[in-house]
C-alpha cells in the first residue's frame, strides 16, 4: 500500500482482506454503515480517532495505521524506528 491513495480506498482494501461487509465493520466499530460508506467513498474525511477505531477493528498493524492516518491528513501516532 502506498501513501498517495485515499484513506477510504485503503480502508476498503483492508476490509475486503478481512472478509467483512461495511455493515459488519460498522457493527464492530459501533458506527453506522452509512458512515463507513462515506469514509470509503471519500464523502467524509474521518477524524484520527475514527481512523484508529476502524483500524483496530480490522486488526491493521501499527505501521499501516500510521499510513492510514497520514492518508486522512492526520499526524501519525506511533513512532517508527529507523532500521
Amino acid at each position: 500500500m502506498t501513501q498517495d491513495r485515499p484513506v477510504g480506498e485503503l480502508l476498503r482494501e483492508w476490509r475486503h482482506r478481512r472478509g467483512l461487509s461495511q455493515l459488519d465493520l460498522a457493527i464492530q466499530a459501533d458506527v453506522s454503515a452509512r458512515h463507513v460508506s462515506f469514509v470509503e467513498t471519500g464523502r467524509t474525511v474521518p477524524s484520527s480517532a475514527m481512523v484508529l477505531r476502524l483500524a483496530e477493528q480490522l486488526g491493521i498493524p501499527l505501521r499501516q495505521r500510521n499510513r492510514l492516518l497520514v492518508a486522512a491528513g492526520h499526524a501519525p501516532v506511533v513512532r517508527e524506528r529507523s532500521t
Side-chain angles (χ1 to χ4, degrees):
M1 281 192 258
T2 61
Q3 288 179 228
D4 59 339
R5 292 170 54 201
V7 66
E9 185 178 312
L10 297 172
L11 284 167
R12 181 173 44 247
E13 183 178 300
W14 277 103
R15 183 175 57 76
H16 285 176
R17 284 184 186 181
R18 301 300 191 236
L20 296 174
S21 69
Q22 286 181 344
L23 181 59
D24 293 332
L25 177 56
I27 290 169
Q28 289 179 11
D30 195 28
V31 298
S32 72
R34 183 176 182 173
H35 191 64
V36 172
S37 173
F38 279 19
V39 169
E40 287 188 1
T41 60
R43 286 187 70 180
T44 189
V45 177
S47 66
S48 58
M50 180 57 63
V51 171
L52 293 173
R53 179 188 292 185
L54 295 173
E56 176 71 25
Q57 295 307 314
L58 291 167
I60 297 174
L62 294 179
R63 181 171 289 172
Q64 296 299 322
R65 291 179 195 192
N66 273 347
R67 292 190 177 124
L68 289 171
L69 287 165
V70 170
H74 304 293
V77 293
V78 178
R79 185 174 167 193
E80 295 186 29
R81 289 188 263 169
S82 58
T83 55

